[in-house]
Structure formats: C-alpha cells, structure tokens
Amino acid sequence: MICISYLTNELNDPYLSPQEEEELMQSRLLHPLECFLFGEDPQEGLEKLKQGNTSPQLCGRVFKEGETVYSCRDCAIDPTCVLCMDCFQDSVHKSHRYKMHASSGGGFCDCGDVEAWKIGPCCSKHDPGADECVLEPELYERAEKLLRVLLHYVTIFLVWEENFELPSELEPRQKENAYYCVLYNDEHHSYDHVIYTLQRSVNCDQAEAQTHTALIDKEGRRAVKRGPLRSCQQAKDLIRSNSEHISLQPLRVEILHAAVMAHQTFALRLGSWFQKIVSYSAGFRQAFCQVALEPNRDGDCPCLISRLMLHDARMYKGARKIVHELIFCSMLMETEFKRLFAIEFTKHYKQLQKDFINDDHERSISITALSVQIFTVPTLARQLIEEGNVIKVVVDTVMELLHEHLDDNNRFFFLGYNSDKFARIQAIFNDLRYILISKPTVWTEELRRQFLDGFKIFLGLLKCMQGMEEVKRQFGQHIAVEPEWEAGFSLQIQLRHILAMFQDWCSSDDEILLLAFKECHKDLMQCNNQPFRREATDYYMCKHILHVRPYKVSQEPVSIHLPISRLLAGLYVLLCRTGAIEYLDNPSYDYTFLAEHPLRCVVLAAQVSAEMWRRNGLSLVSQVYYYQDVKCRDEMYDKDILMLQIAASKMDPNHFLMLILLRFDLFDYFNGSSSSKDQDEQIQWNRLTEEMLYLLIIIVGERYVPGISQVTREDVTMREVVHLLCIEPMAHSSLVKGLPENESHETGLETVITKVATFRKPGVSGHGLYEVKKERLVEFNPFFYHYSRSQHSKAEESQKKRRSHEGNDKALHPPVSPAFCPAFSNIVRLFCCDIIIHILRRVLQRAAEDRTTHWTEAMIQRALHLIGQALLEEKTQLENNTVEEVTFDFSLKAHGMGSEHGKSVFLLLLKIKTLPSLEAQKDMIKWVLQMFEIVKCLREKSSPSASMSVETTKPEESAQEKEKAERKRKAEAAKLHRQKIMAQMSAMQKNFIESNKMLYDNMPDSGTQGDCDMEQRELCVAIGPHRGSTPAEREVLTCILCQEEQEVVAQAPAMVLTACVQRSTVLTQCRGKILPNTADGPSYPLIMPPELAVGTHTGSCGHVMHATCWQKYFEAVQNTTRNRLHAELIIDLENGEYLCPLCKSLCNTVVPLIPLEPLIENAEIIGQHLTMPRWIQILSARIKGLNDSADGDKMALCGEGQPDFRSILSYGVQEPKFSDSIADMLVVCATTVHRVGLQTSPNELCPRVMCLHPEEEKSLFGALQNRQLAGLKAIVQFSASQRLKSSQAIIQRHFTDMVGVLLPVLSRKNTPSLLEVDFFHLLVGLVLSIPSLYQEEAVDLQPSAVSSAYNHMHILHLVTIAHMVQVLLTSTDFNPVAGGEETEEVRAAAELYNTVLIPDVPACSVAERVKRGIEPFLRCAALFFNCLTGVQPPEELFSTSGEMGALCSYLALPSNVFQLFQEHRDTVNPLLPRWCGSSAITKALKDKTQTVRYPRVRNRLIDLPDDYSALLNQASHFQCPKSTDDERKHPTLCLFCGTMLCSQSSCCLSQLDGEDVGACTAHAATCGAGVGMFLRIRECEIILMASKTRGSTYPAPYLDDYGETDPHLVRGNPLHLCPERYRKLNQLWQQHCILEEIARSLEVVNVMFAFEWQML
C-alpha cells in the first residue's frame, strides 16, 4: 500500500499529459501487479490461460444508452430479456417475431441465460456448458490475495469522504500545499449555466469551459483548478456565488488534497483493471466474486460489495459506472455468486431505495437499476421469496416512503406531493412486477407461507388506497382549486399489472386462491371509507321491499379508488373459474355491501356524463376518463362491472334493480312519486335514465370474461378488435393502443387479427389498414361497454351507413351472447323480474304519451336493446330446452303485465311504432316485434319445425323483402334505359358522319400520309431556315389575387409568375466538391465544367399575378409575418420568401412573363448568304472589331475577302421596348438569382438558365406538367430578355470567351478544352448572349427573327459537333452491337473515329455509343429552343417511341448526325486537330484520368438494405472519427452520398461561416449546397435540411408488416424498405421540393421552441 501511495504521488504531476499519465500508471503500477498475479511475464501467463479457456456461455455485454437491443416475442420469458446486436444476428430469434428498441443504459445481454429464453438461449458464439476453466491452485491463491488487497483499497477510496486527509497507513511524510478545486455534476444546472459560471470563476475561455462541462456531465466530476489551498478556496467561493445567481441551488464544489485526488483516480483506474482481469478467465471472476462477497471479519461491517452499494448514492457518476460494470462482468455472470449477490441486494434493498429517492441522478446510473437483473430470474425470485420474503421487503419499502402521505384515516392523500420524488417511488413497483412476472408451477409450503405473508402486506397498501381522495359534488359555485388527482391514478397505473399478476399467482393454486380471497374479504370489511350517515329504511316498488341504508352519490363523498373491492371481484371469478368456489367456508356474503362501493363508482361516472358535476372542474372529468380508459379499465371499471354481475347473480333480481334505482337517484322518479317542472332537472333525469339502462345492458350482456362464460382470452381479444374495427378501418398501431396490454406488453392482437379482419396495404403515403370481415359483423354490439361516447356514435353511424349501403334495414339489434357459467346463470333473472318490466313500461309509456321533455330517443334505443336481449335469451333457451323446462318468461310478462290498461310492453311498442319522432328507431321496433312473434311461435310449437313456421308469421320481413326486390327491379330498368339511349346516340353519330363524309374528308387530319401532314411536319422545326412559326394566339391570363384578366404584351403592365430559386447539386458528377470561395463570395466559372458541381434551380408552381398585386401582397406578408411566433422558421423574409397565395408553395421571387416574338420574314431570302463559313467570318470580324485589334493569323480560318466588322448589323432590327413594370421585374428576378442561386451580390454576369435533364425513360414533352412547361418558358424568356438590363460590353466579352471553346482562333489563354466544358450550358450561354453583338453605343439593334434562326442553327451545329467529339474522347465502353450493318451512318462514324482516335473498335459500336451519349444533350436543347421560340414540337416527342429521329428533325439536324461532319467538312476539319491537340486532352487520354462519361450517370439516392436491422447493425459498429469515448452517438446516414455522420454531438462540431455547426449541417454545405437528406438510424426518421436554421423531420421509407412507419422505434416491429416510398423521397430531391416540404411541415406544426438545426 505504501508503495502504491508513493507511486500514486509520483503520478500526481500537473505537467503530465493524460496519455503520459496512463503510460506511467501502466508501467509503474499495473504491470507489476500483473506480474505478481501470473507469477511470470503477463503476456506469457495470459497465453497459457487462453489455451485452456473456452468462449463464455453468457454474453454479458453491458448496454450503453441508446444502443439498439432486441427481444424475441416468441421465446423471451419476459420483455426484459434482450439480446445485443451481434448475438441477435447469430441467433435463431432473427427469424421469429422480434422487437427492437433503444436501451436506456445499464442492462446487459441475456444471451446464454437458459432461464431467459424458452428456446435458443445461446447464439452461435456462446455455447452452452462452456466457461468451465479451472485455475491452478497457486494462481487462484495469488489472485485471491491480490484482489482482496486491491478491492479493499478501491473500496476505501471510493467511499472515502475526507477531502484533506488519507488513511494513516497511506499518509505521506511530508504534505505538500497542492489542492484541486473539484466541480461535481448535478441535475439542477444546465450546460450553459455551468459554462457561464466557469468562465466567470476560474478565468477560462469558452472552449475550455465547454470541455470542462462536457467531462463533468460524462464523468460526474472534474478538477477545474489546481493550486494552493487559498486559491482553490477562492475559486470555490466564486463558483458557488456565481451559480447561486443563476439558480437557487449552488453548484456542488469541493476542495481535495492532491494526494486524495490521486488515490481516488487510481482506485477508479483499478476498477477498470479489475474488469480486464476477470474477463481473462472464469477462475479470476470467481476469485473476485469470492473476495467481494466474503463476510467481513468484523461482524457488524458488511462485505466489500455491500459497502460499495450502500455508498452508491454518494459516489459521483464515473465511480458509479465503474462499480456497476464491475458487478455486471463478475457476480451477474456466475449463477451461484449471482444468488449470493441477490441476497445481499435484498438485505439492503430498503436503504438503497431510500438513498435513490434522495439522490438527484437518474435511475439508470443508480445501483437500484440492477434489480431487473436479479428479480426477473424466475428461480432466483422464488428463492428470494422463500428465504427473504422479497415481496414484503419491496412493499414495506413503498409503505415507508409513502407514509408521509397518509391522512388521519390511514388513507393516502397526495396534496402538495413532490412529483420528482413520487416518480422515483413509483419505480419501485417495477421491482414487484419483476418478481411476479413468472408464476410458479410447483408450490412448496414455504413458498405458500411467504407469498401469503407478502400478499397480506400488499393488501395493507391497497387498504391505504381504498376510498382515498374522496370527492363531493359542488353546489352553487365552481370549485376554487382543482384537487390533486394525478398521483392516485399514477399509483393505480403502476399497480394495474401487479394486481393482475397477484391474481394469476393465486389462480395457480386452489389453497392460495381460497386463503387470498378470505384475506381480501376480511380487509374489505375492515375498511371504513365512505360510511353510511343514516340507518337502513324500507323502500317499496311493485310490491317488493328493499331494506337498505340510504346514500346519495350526488350529495355525499365518493371515491373512485376501490382496489380491494376490485381485487375481491377478480378473485371471486377465479374461484368460479377453477371450481374452488365450492370449498368456500361461508358463501353467504353480504352482496349488497360488496356491490355498494363499485355501484357508487359507476353512478359517479354516469352523473359526470350527465354533466351533474360540472362545478367540480376538469380533475373529476379526467379521473372518470382514466377510470374507463384502456390504461386502467381492466382493474377499475371492468372489475366494478364484474362485482355488480356477482351481486346480480346472488341477490334477488328485484332487490338488485331497486338498489340500482336508488343509487342512480331514480327510485322516486320510476315510482311515480317524483315530478318536476324544472327543465334542467328533467334533462338530468333523462340522462340518468339513459345511463341506468346502459348499465343494465352491460350487466346482462357483457359475458366475454373467462369465468363469467365459457370464453377464452383469445375470444375476448377478437371481440375487442371487431368492435374497434366497427368504428372505422384502423392501422395496427391504433388497434394496439385500443387494446389492454398484459404484463409482457402483449395484446394478443397478432394471434386473432387474421380471423376477424382483412389487411389493406398502404400506398405511397399513409399506412396499412385493417377492415373487419363481413361475417364478423353479427358480433357487433352498439352498446359495447368499452366504447367511449364518441366511439359509440361513430360505430353506430358507420354500421347504419354500411347496412343502408347493402340494402338492409338500419336496425342494430343485439348480438347473441354466450351462455353464462352456472355460477352467474341467475343474472338473466333480471329480465323476468317485476321491476325490469316496470322500468321498461315507464320508459315506453313516456314515449307513447309523446311528452317530449320526459323521454329521449337514446332512452328508447336502450330500452329496445334491453327488450331485444331478453327476447334473444328466451329464444335461445326455448330452442335448447322444452317449454316446460324453460322458466324464463319475459315475453309472457311483456304481453301480460299492464295489458288490462293497454300498457303492456308489447302494446306500448305497437303504439310507438307509428310515432314520427321515432322514425330513426322504426327498423329496430320492427325487429323487436318480429322477435316477439318468433318467441311466441317457439312457445306454441316447441319442435324443430317451429323455425320453419316462422317464415309465415313475419309479415314485416316479407314486406321488407318485397320493398328490396322493387328497388332492385327499378335499378335494373334504369340501367337498361341508359343503355338504350347510349345506343341511339351512337347510331346518330354514325349517320351524321356518313351523310357528311365530304366534310370529314377535307379535314387536315383525315389523311394518313398526305401533303398536309408533311407540311405540318416541316413546320415542326425550331431553328434554321425552315423554322416553324410561333403561335400567334393572344395569351390572356387571370391574376390569382384580383381575378382580372390581362393579355401578355411587351408594353402592358407586367404579369409575373411565382418562382423559387435555390442552389442545387442534383446533377453533380462530383458529389462533395463545391466551387471555391473568393472575397466576394463563391466563384462561378463562366463556362460550366462537365462535373456540374453546383448549379441554380428555378421552379414555379405556375400561378400568375399582376406585378403590382404581387408587390402589395408581399408587403402585407412581411408586415403580418413579423408578428407571428417563429415565422422566420417557415419563411425567410430577408431573402424575400413568401407563400404562393393560392397553393401555399414556397417562393422567393417572381419571373416576368415576356411575350414571344412571331416570325415574319422569309428565311429563304438570306439563306444562301449565311452559310456556316460566312457566319463564322461575320462573327469573327465583329469580335475582332469590338476588340479593336487585328491579327492576320487568327483570321486565316475565314479566308480572303474579310467582311467588315459592322456587317452583322445589316441583319439586325430594332430591339423591343418593354414597359417600366416589366423592366423592374427583370431586375427583381435577376437579383434573386444572384443572391440565392449564385450566392453573390447582384452583378452583370452573363444570363444563366438552369439546365433541365428530363428522365430518359419518359417522353420529352409528354412527361412535363403544364406548370413545369409554363415555368420553364417564362425562365427562358426572362433569360433572353435580361440582357437588356445588363452591360452589353460585358456580355460581348463573355460571348467571346465562350465561343473561343468552339473556335480556337478566338480562344484566350485560359480557354478550357473540350473535356472541361458542359456543352448544354455553353449552348445556352451562346444563344442568349449573341444578340449583344448587334449593339454598339449608337446602335440599338437585335438580330431579326431570321438571323436568330440561322444563329441558333449554326451555334447548335457547332456545339453538337464538339459534343460528339467530347463523347468519343471520353468513351471507353464500346459495347458490341449485334448484327451491325455497314450503313452510311456507320461509315461516317468510323471516319470520325479514325480522325479523332486510333481505330480499334467496330464502327457500329462507335455510332451507337455516340448517339446514346448525345441524346440527353439533344433532349435538353429541344426543350430550350421550344421555350425560346415557341415552335410546336412534333407528336413523336410526346411519346417514348422514335424520339431520336424526331429530335433531329425538330433541331434542324440530319437524321444521321454524323452527316454534320460531311456538311461542314471545310469548317470542321481545321477545327478537329485544334480541339483534340489540346494539352489537357492529351494528358487526360494518356494518364487515363477520371473524366465525365456520357450520357452522365443520373444521380439517385443511395441504395438502402431491405432489412432495417442491417442499418442498425451498421450503426452499432460506427465509430465517431473525432471521438474515442463510448458514449451514445447518433449515427446519421447521408442519403445523397452514403456517408455516415455523428450528429448532435459536440465532438463533431465544425466552423461554417464563422459559426459552430453540427456534422450534418457542415456535410450538407459541401454535399448538397446547403440542402440535405439524412436518415437518423437509431431514431428511424428522415431529416430534411435546407439551410443552417431550417429543417424538418419526414417519415423514413421503412415500414413494418402492418404498413406503418416507426419513428424512434417506439413499437419496435421488424422494418423493411418500401421501394415506392423511397422512390418518392428520390423524387422529392430530384424535383427540388425539399425546401417546400420543410416549409409545409413547419406551417402545419405549431413550433413553440425553435430546434437548433445547425447543431444537427
């Protein structure tokens, strides 16, 4: 120890780096220890040890927070049994029904634990029976000695609380004045608070403060200052004072002597070393466990591991983690030592829980979290019950912690409770659930005794809940303060499964069940809650007397919490179900008393529904809601109904109904001794009557409970599902939410769903839906007791609509219920008693008298349902027995009682049948009367043929069939009539065509290959001398704002198109490469490289406005939006964003609509003058003149007789004049393009248009929507007109630079080679900038339409030729063409290839390759010239067949494009050597450098695996490139390029524009020009990003087997890729809709607190 102390002090050097400190510790301290342990060189000893070792049986991987774990729903003993990713992938469970979810941290992999799995306990890596290695005795002895000393040392310093002193044996001779100011983690202060405090207190910068804070949060403490005691004390005082200014509670900061700090640090390091040592061998692990658990020589002192556990709450986070991990990898890996540890844990359980309650750290880093590893082991749990009565320990702990909340009556009262402390106490209930999760199959006497003792203690807890938090109806004024209710229901929700499990345990042994029932009944009789205030009196009705104490729910206190009553009901049903009821000593219980409190609770819910408790506020409404909600109803509402059914089966039916009337406060009302003229009171009575009748329907009709009738749990689940689906078709997740879960979080849905429903698969959006099968609709009960009020209305409406659609009546009659079990068979006597007949007569009589205030349709509907239930019961009994055996006589009493006054139930039904106010119930009344007839027939003829005679006695049914047949006959007649009319119309059309045949023959489209057709085809040429005409129709558009029409003309006020400009990398061929920045912003080259690194996209929704209307609208948007909360997240006002007034699409500019110029001149007149050589001469002369320089060599290409540099002006005409409004809009649009698309300040760059690359597999023009085409035309026309607002000299210079690529004689020093140019961009630039050559200072012309046609044709021909050469130079994949013939095209291709490259491939392959390479260029060119000239394209371009020939025709190209080289031989031949002789091309061909191939690869989102677990596996192996710790990361996948990123983590922050941003934001800036689409793998959701501050979530394209997405893996079902949804995501990106999708999602979601997207 002294040696360790000396060396530890040596390590305490402030100048050592962490790496140097670790190396020194390893060499000076840990290496000698390992040498002692092995007795030789550690490496050699370890090698010997490995030779005798096998792989361990248990995996034992400790989960980090957020790590994905898997549970098998088929094989796991309970939901806590989980596998790590690696074990799951290698196990049999991968093919089973599994669930995946994120671990909260602290658990470990159960692979290899035979008690955790029904089958397949081990994966392929962990073999059963392994891990039997036995150490040599000497090695084991050394290990035991060393571990005993070291563990004692570690324990001393992890529990050491002296800051300045060491243990006497470790005290140094000379104590230096070196101290540390240590800051501890807590849960009260935020990151920012701590950073601020450190900056103010210890003079560190922000980066250092952030580092300190991150490490404090991770490790639990951090030394923030080292120095003498005085300076550390000053730092401590400053930290405390500065933190108190922010929060009422100061930060915990302590001063530790450097020696104490060093020893504690080394003790912590030894903990990690222990983990390494015990992982070497099972022998070392056993030695460690032996040392840790051996009793202390001093009997009062606990063992070492217990000391560490008891001190856990006082240790900081880093120390806790080390201790917990040490326990995981040692004691929990050994069965026997796990048992011993469990006993120690249980012994100290109460103290550990008390410490946890007072701790401020989460449960995941508390020692109490280990309970799940102990109590869920079935054999261990039973052993702990037998030996330590762990049930009593846990419940006693809860009772002790909740003791402060007991009132004078020993009932819980949670007013002013601490919610955080209460939540920690509730976590203890999980331990009780873990203990009970697996019921025993064999009971021992000791287990029985200890379980019953624990059950009695548990009943004590329930007694404190019985009748707690009573409420009393508020009269006069509204309640002043809402009472506390959440705590009570939180307790009830926690106990829900525990109550069910206690009943399950009891049901497995008849002796336990009987004793538990008796104890429960005894405790219930001892409860004194809600006592009666008055003595019992007699109540009379229909000659029956009920002797009972009066009690009014509306006037006296009542509680909704009755756990003992409900537990007793559950145990009683189990007694009946198992047959143990016959062994009950005293079966004559006071059932009136047993039913009293549940009945009060049901009445309370009814009165709340009748709005009698409105003045009690929302707290009571919430309690009643949860009382009947799926989360609580199993052990609350359902059990109350069960107790009422028990009472109904044992009590006299008349007395039972009288009791119900009394508690509903309807006794006098139905006795005729109460009347009121108060309308509100009458409405109250009506509502209560409805609720009372509803309760009677439930009591006699709800039999789907095992033990009440002969049904199984599966039958119960099927009925629940049927009734949920009768409301509407539902998704699987909605069904699961509507079903109660068992203790294993299972609903049983999967086992029954295929029997009752059919599945409808989802489309591209939405989710899959289940629809109930038609044959199951007979089970529908409109008064199903688990329906809420709204669900009841929806289900009733849905089923009536369905029946009407099918042509049936709208009667929703009660279903046939299963027979009661013998113990409950007496319930049906309620139908035959005098009181029920009296109630029904009163209800029907009020309707027959038609006094509207005394009855409601809902009352009649319920009464009819009750009558229907009774008649179905009677019918069933008559069909199964002889008339003499049947004592059920409802129909006789319904006919007889009151018939002398004409007021029997049957006669009253006949009366109300004709009431107009009951038209909606007419079908139901008919059905009830039919049932009376059927029962009557069965009573008169109780033979099997009786059912046959029924047909003759159903006049209403036969009339209904006749009506249905008549409707069908009329429908058929109408159908025949329509067919006859259509046939007549068709005949008339044919006659008209025959009689006017000459007229049809003269139509232009009547001939198949006539002259008109050829003429039409000739007009479909966009450029050149045969250019077609521009459509001359007037373009009249309607403004979407003012709805006024206006023609688009040059001199009129501007009409504008909404548009959105954004940067794009959709077409890029070099993902991740962004143009370099200059001082003025990003540098965009004049000539676009073929990689298309980043471009500008302009899209439009196609809606048109007046420019003035748009300006007013935009100003109004700016004024109103500034006042909206977080409106800047949706639209960026600074960048001019707004939402389209009509479709709400995101826009940031407008494009002015420019009219097309019609072609007037005859092109043939000047055709012979403007051949390509002549055109080049004129062009060159003009450029030379403009440059004001002469160079004879450069002009040699043009030959002799050079034209004058102004000769081009002879082909010019006066340029058009635009209105000031249009000119202003040109500036607006151009400004946005520069600011947003090019990210530069507005300048006089050459006009640009984003190139469009349509999908190759779709038709060129047919695939475009009208809005897309209109937007494209507007943008092209804007680009063509924009030159009028720019400097012509600059545009001329740009034209010269661009044309130099094609004409080397005009090139400059930096002119790129053919391989460095995108020729479509070049084509657009040349076409749009050539008009600038027609302008000078004194001359203001533009090319005439004919000149433009020739300019366009020659430019296109030259660019096409150059592009063909580019395709040849970059091609390497010349695929052989089958059956290639020697055509003219092939020969021309061969000649070109021979000229450009070495001939070593077949000519036919060259021809095919070039045509395939230039087709995208031609498609884009066709679109461009169509938008520029307006010439109608040929029909072939609207389909996918024969497109190449039509493209060539439309663009004035020969069908054999290689003829261009023949037609322009004189021009091209001198150019080819100059093009191909470029040094850049020579280098590219020689070095085989990577060049863009044509056609370019169309970018798509990356390929994703079909199974989502493959992605999770990839994420689990992801290592952050900038972090070495193993803390939770958020692996995020870029769907553009496939890069895995570490998002939302401080380790990967980087600087972007001088601001800290997360990894995803930084990556999006380079990969998608600010736009990103990421898949957060552990959260299973897509993140869309459009800028540093704007983003949104989007459903991942992965669906489970039920067609639903699973964000954050909440449900955890297996997920598979949906190709349709992934295609939609791909389309969202390719169509540049990400920005709009983000805006739409933010508009829908009401954002209260902005998410920091830049930190993602």
Side-chain angles (χ1 to χ4, degrees), residues 789-825:
R789 184 182 289 272
S790 62
Q791 286 177 328
H792 167 73
S793 301
K794 285 181 182 178
E796 185 179 347
E797 183 182 352
S798 172
Q799 294 309 306
K800 283 184 175 180
K801 187 177 179 181
R802 176 191 60 80
R803 291 181 65 84
S804 177
H805 181 71
E806 293 174 356
N808 299 322
D809 59 46
K810 293 184 179 180
L812 299 177
H813 47 78
V816 178
S817 300
F820 280 114
C821 288
F824 291 91
S825 58

Side-chain angles (χ1 to χ4, degrees), residues 1062-1068 1071 1097 1497-1502 1534-1537 1567-1569 1571-1573 1584-1585 1622-1635 1637:
Q1062 56 184 302
R1063 300 176 77 211
S1064 169
T1065 61
V1066 170
L1067 301 177
T1068 185
R1071 178 73 54 198
H1097 175 270
V1497 176
R1498 184 176 177 80
N1499 289 329
R1500 297 185 183 279
L1501 298 180
I1502 64 168
C1534 174
L1535 296 182
F1536 294 167
C1537 66
C1567 184
V1571 174
M1573 184 183 288
L1584 302 178
M1585 293 186 69
Y1622 200 43
R1623 277 196 293 272
K1624 184 182 177 184
L1625 268 175
N1626 188 66
Q1627 193 177 23
L1628 190 74
W1629 171 51
Q1630 291 187 339
Q1631 294 184 354
H1632 299 85
C1633 296
I1634 289 179
L1635 188 62
E1637 180 65 35

Side-chain angles (χ1 to χ4, degrees), residues 1495-1524:
R1496 292 185 182 91
V1497 176
R1498 184 176 177 80
N1499 289 329
R1500 297 185 183 279
L1501 298 180
I1502 64 168
D1503 293 332
L1504 291 177
D1506 176 70
D1507 192 340
Y1508 195 73
S1509 63
L1511 273 178
L1512 288 170
N1513 191 24
Q1514 185 181 348
S1516 70
H1517 294 101
F1518 169 70
Q1519 293 290 330
C1520 174
K1522 298 183 180 179
S1523 175
T1524 57

Side-chain angles (χ1 to χ4, degrees), residues 289-290 293 334-345 380:
C289 295
Q290 185 69 41
L293 289 164
E334 294 287 333
T335 306
E336 178 57 25
F337 290 111
K338 187 173 185 178
R339 184 185 70 81
L340 295 173
F341 174 75
I343 292 170
E344 286 293 314
F345 184 85
L380 204 51

